Amino acid sequence: MLEDLRQGSKTKTCRLNKAIYGLKQAGRQWFKKLDLKLKDIGFQASAADPCMYVSSSGGEIIGVYVDDLIIATKTDESYNKIKENLSNWFEMKDLGTLNYCLGIQFKNENGVISANQSKYIKNVLEKFNMENCKPIGSPMDPKTKLTPSEEKSQENLPYQNLIGCLMYLSVATRPDISFAVSYLSQFNSCYNSQHWNAAKRVLRYLKGTMDFSLTYQKTGQPIIGYADADWGSCTIDRRSYSGHCFIFAGSAISWSAKKQSCVALSTAEAEHAAITEATKEALHLRNLAVDLHMDQQKIKIFSDNQAAQHIAKNLVVSSRSKHIDIKLHFIRDVIERGDIELDYISTQEMTADILTKPLAKPRHFDLLQKLGLTSSSREEEC
């Protein structure tokens, strides 16, 4: 039978008694088994994030990534008990205190937790022969205006490869390059040497900020969000860019920078669309906070456009707002339920500004502080 299968027989198949590593269904079968065992010892998967398991008391959390587990407990006794229970079912290896996972380095000192990807950045610089490049103060020049190349460059440029490497950085620990990566990604199939040089500028920026970390410490403050937009900034299709970020424990925990799906006819409409995206993320974070037994009644979102806030809060139809897609008005229901609260903040204080456009170096580094992205070497000097 096995010989027939090797020769491509279409009439015979093998029925497996258990999943084999490497098959399509193996990962699913492993997760089902792990899920069953975790529930047996008193953990439940979060409805907001199925890979986050929380104990009934809320004092223990297990994060799952395939067969890697991150266990967070309040006491050593709880940790040892969980480890003992899991060891009865699975062959396990205790790697000790979390310090490196999925390309991210972690440090916990005196109640301050930091996360950075300096090793990953160093590897990326070496991969693209940029380890000896000259550092620069911002990921993009504010004057940069790129357009799709009509003819693909004849040079063998690994542009898509570089954008892929930068994308993981932008979603993991480096919100400061999120806009640049989002902007450059739209040229993945129509790039030339000009786009390649713009992408290498991001590497030059990372070379000088390699040790920057997201730094978290207990503040007693709830989750707060910032939503911003840059109206009609794309010279190609005149769409606007949206950006939002959420701060907790003194640093960013969630952020996004992307082009809007439709053309906005006014600044207020672009800002309203940005608030909509931020509201969806706020609901997710609020649900996650509830699952983690956190006291998070509502999430406040700051915007620097009062007209957009009036559209979101008031059931009024005018000539300027009657064309806005009804899906954007779900914010009103969320506000009425008390899940979020909209508030005004000046443009100078808008943290999400860094996620909507390229900024000059002074403004860029000022907003890095608000995001909680700091240099570990500077902290040691202080």
Side-chain angles (χ1 to χ4, degrees), residues 209-245:
T209 59
M210 192 181 303
D211 64 338
F212 274 39
S213 306
L214 289 173
T215 307
Y216 304 93
Q217 55 186 326
K218 188 174 182 179
T219 63
Q221 300 297 318
I223 300 171
I224 59 172
Y226 299 87
D228 195 23
D230 190 20
W231 177 46
S233 57
C234 181
T235 57
I236 302 171
D237 53 19
R238 306 310 302 180
R239 294 184 184 180
S240 308
Y241 272 92
S242 290
H244 66 254
C245 62

Side-chain angles (χ1 to χ4, degrees), residues 58-256:
E60 295 85 27
I61 302 171
I62 299 178
V64 178
Y65 182 80
V66 191
D67 58 353
D68 292 327
L69 306 182
I70 298 175
I71 303 174
T73 64
K74 293 182 179 180
T75 63
D76 291 338
E77 182 182 355
S78 298
Y79 171 76
N80 291 328
K81 183 177 180 181
I82 294 171
K83 189 173 69 171
E84 181 182 352
N85 286 330
L86 292 176
S87 298
N88 292 332
W89 293 312
F90 308 110
E91 183 179 343
M92 292 179 57
K93 182 186 294 184
D94 187 351
L95 299 179
T97 303
L98 178 66
N99 53 54
Y100 189 80
C101 183
L102 301 176
I104 304 174
Q105 298 156 249
F106 296 92
K107 183 185 291 186
N108 186 355
E109 292 182 348
N110 301 320
V112 178
I113 299 174
S114 63
N116 74 70
Q117 290 178 278
S118 58
K119 290 182 179 179
Y120 179 86
I121 295 173
K122 184 178 180 181
N123 291 336
V124 172
L125 291 172
E126 292 175 353
K127 181 177 181 179
F128 295 98
N129 299 316
M130 293 287 287
E131 63 268 29
N132 297 318
C133 65
K134 184 178 180 181
I136 201 165
S138 61
M140 281 192 70
D141 186 343
K143 297 179 182 179
T144 297
K145 297 295 180 182
L146 299 175
T147 57
S149 175
E150 295 181 1
E151 295 182 2
K152 191 172 181 179
S153 174
Q154 299 301 315
E155 302 176 67
N156 187 22
L157 301 174
Y159 183 82
Q160 296 174 338
N161 196 342
L162 173 54
I163 295 302
C165 292
L166 294 176
M167 192 170 292
Y168 182 56
L169 272 171
S170 70
V171 300
T173 62
R174 297 302 296 264
D176 51 332
I177 66 169
S178 290
F179 173 78
V181 174
S182 175
Y183 182 80
L184 294 171
S185 295
Q186 64 184 318
F187 305 108
N188 272 340
S189 60
C190 50
Y191 58 87
N192 55 29
S193 58
Q194 186 180 8
H195 303 87
W196 174 245
N197 290 331
K200 287 200 297 184
R201 180 189 172 104
V202 181
L203 290 179
R204 293 176 59 195
Y205 168 73
L206 291 172
K207 174 66 183 298
T209 59
M210 192 181 303
D211 64 338
F212 274 39
S213 306
L214 289 173
T215 307
Y216 304 93
Q217 55 186 326
K218 188 174 182 179
T219 63
Q221 300 297 318
I223 300 171
I224 59 172
Y226 299 87
D228 195 23
D230 190 20
W231 177 46
S233 57
C234 181
T235 57
I236 302 171
D237 53 19
R238 306 310 302 180
R239 294 184 184 180
S240 308
Y241 272 92
S242 290
H244 66 254
C245 62
F246 289 85
I247 309 296
F248 181 67
S251 197
I253 58 171
S254 176
W255 56 84
S256 173

